[in-house]
Amino acid sequence: MARRIGVLALQGGFAPHKQALEELGLASSEVRTAAELAEVDGLVLPGGESTTQLRLLGRHGLDAALDAFVRSGRPVLCTCAGLILAAQKVSSPTQRSFGWLDVGVTRNAWGRQVDSFIARDDRERLQLVFIRAPRITEVGPQVEVLATYRGEPVLVRQGNTYGATFHPELTPDRSTHQAVFSGQGLPA
């Protein structure tokens, strides 16, 4: 079990993730520097605007430290824009990403802000909040699909890295955070 979970706090919806972690009894801290990143045992890359997050990561000199952190095997949850940063391939438009998850994603593919919606996954286990969410369009052989919506992957895992197209932090259900950071699986 991770001792302290960091939440990347350069831009986007990091505060609800901190609240979700604290509701699970997990210590959390905001991460804005490589030194703060070095102090945590797990990490959340929140939603927000992925191109802005990339610029801020570069401005704060976090690219190499973030890449090393994820590759170290510590648990990482990437939601919405965080998934875009973690993907192998990004389209509509293309952009740089880190490639930690062998998936292809299409940005804002579930619609514009006004098209945001709430649904349940195909197995009725998870509440899904989609806000300008990416769609996972390709899944590599090492990627495990953990949840789908209308047959499409919405929660995936490759090793220590989880990617969600939706916002689990905006629901009362904490099972996604718990699965990633406490080692307990998703509900059956």
Side-chain angles (χ1 to χ4, degrees):
M1 181 165 161
R3 294 181 307 271
R4 176 170 295 281
I5 309 303
V7 181
L8 186 67
L10 299 178
Q11 187 271 340
F14 53 88
H17 280 289
K18 275 188 60 53
Q19 179 180 340
L21 293 165
E22 290 165 8
E23 286 175 12
L24 287 171
L26 298 170
S28 67
S29 59
E30 295 178 3
V31 171
R32 293 183 181 89
T33 67
E36 291 169 342
L37 183 60
E39 296 296 318
V40 298
D41 304 300
L43 184 65
V44 175
L45 299 180
E49 209 294 310
S50 59
T51 55
T52 300
Q53 289 182 4
L54 280 171
R55 280 189 218 111
L56 291 170
L57 286 167
R59 183 178 298 156
H60 290 268
L62 279 168
D63 283 7
L66 183 58
D67 187 57
F69 182 94
V70 175
R71 296 185 191 284
S72 76
R74 290 173 275 186
V76 180
L77 173 60
C78 308
T79 63
C80 201
L83 169 62
I84 294 168
L85 297 180
Q88 181 72 38
K89 184 167 99 176
V90 179
S91 61
S92 293
T94 60
Q95 73 176 54
R96 181 175 72 85
S97 58
F98 288 95
W100 303 310
L101 288 169
D102 187 11
V103 297
V105 298
T106 300
R107 295 178 59 201
N108 303 324
W110 287 103
R112 299 168 47 126
Q113 189 84 19
V114 299
D115 300 315
S116 300
F117 64 98
I118 299 171
R120 303 276 315 164
D121 76 302
D122 290 338
R123 292 180 60 195
E124 296 288 322
R125 297 177 303 163
L126 302 172
Q127 187 177 34
L128 311 173
V129 175
F130 292 95
I131 304 171
R132 295 180 53 220
R135 273 186 145 128
I136 297 173
T137 55
E138 299 173 36
V139 177
Q142 301 301 314
V143 175
E144 178 183 5
V145 175
L146 301 174
T148 58
Y149 174 68
R150 295 185 177 173
E152 294 185 36
V154 294
L155 179 63
V156 297
R157 180 179 80 82
Q158 183 173 351
N160 61 304
T161 306
Y162 293 72
T165 63
F166 60 98
H167 290 273
E169 75 281 9
L170 297 180
T171 75
D173 178 6
R174 300 300 178 223
S175 61
T176 300
H177 289 83
Q178 189 166 359
V180 176
F181 299 113
S182 296
Q184 298 178 10
L186 293 171

